[in-house]
């Protein structure tokens, strides 16, 4: 139903701007107009958190490596695969999933059926005043999404701004795995693969040297690519060009 309007808009536009080079390059709708396609990564202010509040949260999960994820509890987020990944993680790991949505009961039932109550917790709605401390308290951030509906993943760059390594998924035609630069800010694995998620999480968190490498890489990638000033400069260049 929308295709005629989409085709008209694509033809009429002078410039078409996406958020990642992958998303625009692999878009079937834009395959014939790549000459007028560009991209501007989303930019945000870095997340600022109170270290005392973060430490308080860490105390709640004392002795645990905290794996954090955040998003609507809907199918394309792939949270069921992150929950299953906890089966492959040692007992000193804790998976925290923030957010609400229609799959809440299904995901809780999955946790219960796998006897993962001590390793996975659904946090529900996370207030704005609590979220920064959760990023600060976590050791690593995981994006387990499985469909290109997840085009970018702003939560990834929020975590990067706090120096948190990322584990994400290689979703075809999505920019998620570009945002998380594999080998720089973290690791990307195949979608719908709980064991691969667990292996990537452990490979980062179980080696201090590796962890520090990805922590520094994540923060550096944020400040060189995903700041608001970077986004504004690129948009102005497009208009002025």
């Amino acid at each position: 139903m929308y295709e005629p309007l989409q085709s008209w808009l694509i033809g009429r536009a002078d410039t078409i701007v996406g958020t990642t080079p992958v998303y625009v390059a692999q878009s079937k709708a834009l395959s014939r107009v790549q000459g007028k396609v560009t991209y501007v990564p989303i930019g945000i202010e870095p997340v600022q958190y109170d270290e005392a509040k973060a430490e308080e949260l860490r105390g709640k999960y004392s002795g645990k490596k905290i794996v954090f994820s955040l998003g609507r509890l809907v199918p394309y987020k792939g949270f069921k695969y992150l929950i299953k990944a906890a089966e492959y993680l040692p007992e000193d790991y804790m998976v925290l999933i923030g957010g609400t949505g229609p799959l809440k009961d299904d995901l809780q039932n999955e946790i219960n059926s796998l006897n993962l109550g001590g390793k996975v917790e659904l946090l529900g709605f996370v207030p704005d005043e609590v979220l920064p401390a959760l990023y600060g308290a976590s050791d690593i951030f995981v994006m387990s999404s499985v469909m290109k509906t997840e085009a970018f993943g702003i939560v990834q760059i929020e975590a990067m701004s706090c120096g948190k390594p990322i584990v994400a998924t290689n979703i075809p035609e999505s920019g998620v795995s570009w945002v998380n630069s594999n080998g720089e800010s973290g690791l990307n694995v195949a979608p719908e693969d709980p064991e691969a998620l667990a292996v990537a999480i452990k490979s980062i968190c179980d080696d201090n040297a590796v962890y520090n490498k990805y922590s520094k890489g994540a923060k550096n990638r944020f400040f060189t690519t995903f700041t608001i000033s970077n986004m504004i400069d690129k948009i102005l260049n497009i208009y002025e060009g």
Side-chain angles (χ1 to χ4, degrees):
M1 182 173 67
Y2 294 105
E3 189 171 352
L5 176 59
Q6 176 180 273
S7 297
W8 178 82
L9 283 171
I10 288 172
R12 176 69 179 80
D14 295 306
T15 303
I16 298 169
V17 184
T19 55
T20 68
V22 176
Y23 204 79
V24 293
Q26 295 184 7
S27 168
K28 295 179 178 66
L30 301 178
S31 61
R32 297 181 181 179
V33 293
Q34 287 292 306
K36 62 178 182 180
V37 169
T38 187
Y39 72 96
V40 174
I42 295 170
I44 62 168
E45 294 286 359
V47 173
Q48 305 286 345
Y49 62 90
D50 186 315
E51 183 58 46
K53 291 182 179 178
E55 196 59 42
E56 183 179 337
L57 277 171
R58 288 191 199 103
K60 184 178 178 181
Y61 305 100
S62 181
K64 302 282 188 178
K65 295 170 183 174
I66 299 176
V67 178
F68 182 42
S69 193
L70 177 70
R72 286 269 296 156
L73 305 184
V74 291
Y76 80 83
K77 291 291 186 178
F79 287 129
K80 69 178 182 179
Y81 301 103
L82 178 55
I83 290 169
K84 290 179 180 177
E87 289 190 290
Y88 300 96
L89 294 173
E91 293 303 315
D92 62 342
Y93 279 81
M94 185 70 192
V95 177
L96 302 179
I97 300 173
T100 61
L103 292 184
K104 179 183 177 182
D105 290 342
D106 289 344
L107 294 175
Q108 187 60 58
N109 289 338
E110 183 77 5
I111 293 168
N112 296 341
S113 67
L114 296 174
N115 295 314
L116 292 172
K119 289 175 71 176
V120 183
E121 183 178 340
L122 300 182
L123 300 176
F125 174 73
V126 180
D128 289 344
E129 61 270 21
V130 176
L131 182 57
L134 265 170
Y135 279 122
S138 65
D139 292 287
I140 191 168
F141 187 88
V142 177
M143 172 162 278
S144 54
S145 300
V146 296
M147 298 171 60
K148 72 170 186 176
T149 308
E150 191 73 82
F152 186 93
I154 293 176
V155 287
Q156 294 189 101
I157 61 176
E158 290 177 341
M160 285 182 197
S161 75
C162 298
K164 305 303 174 178
I166 311 295
V167 170
T169 47
N170 287 305
I171 307 167
E173 300 180 41
S174 167
V176 165
S177 59
W178 177 84
V179 174
N180 180 38
S181 179
N182 191 66
E184 179 186 357
S185 53
L187 296 172
N188 295 316
V189 301
E192 303 183 4
D193 191 335
E195 188 171 3
L197 284 172
V199 168
I201 291 167
K202 288 189 293 183
S203 70
I204 293 174
C205 291
D206 288 354
D207 185 312
N208 287 337
V210 173
Y211 184 89
N212 290 335
K213 169 193 169 184
Y214 287 126
S215 176
K216 291 176 183 176
K219 200 159 194 174
N220 180 68
R221 182 155 175 75
F222 172 80
F223 282 103
T224 58
T225 310
F226 301 115
T227 62
I228 282 183
S229 60
N230 181 72
M231 178 177 68
I232 291 172
D233 288 345
K234 287 182 179 294
I235 291 173
L236 289 176
N237 286 338
I238 290 171
Y239 279 105
E240 292 169 357

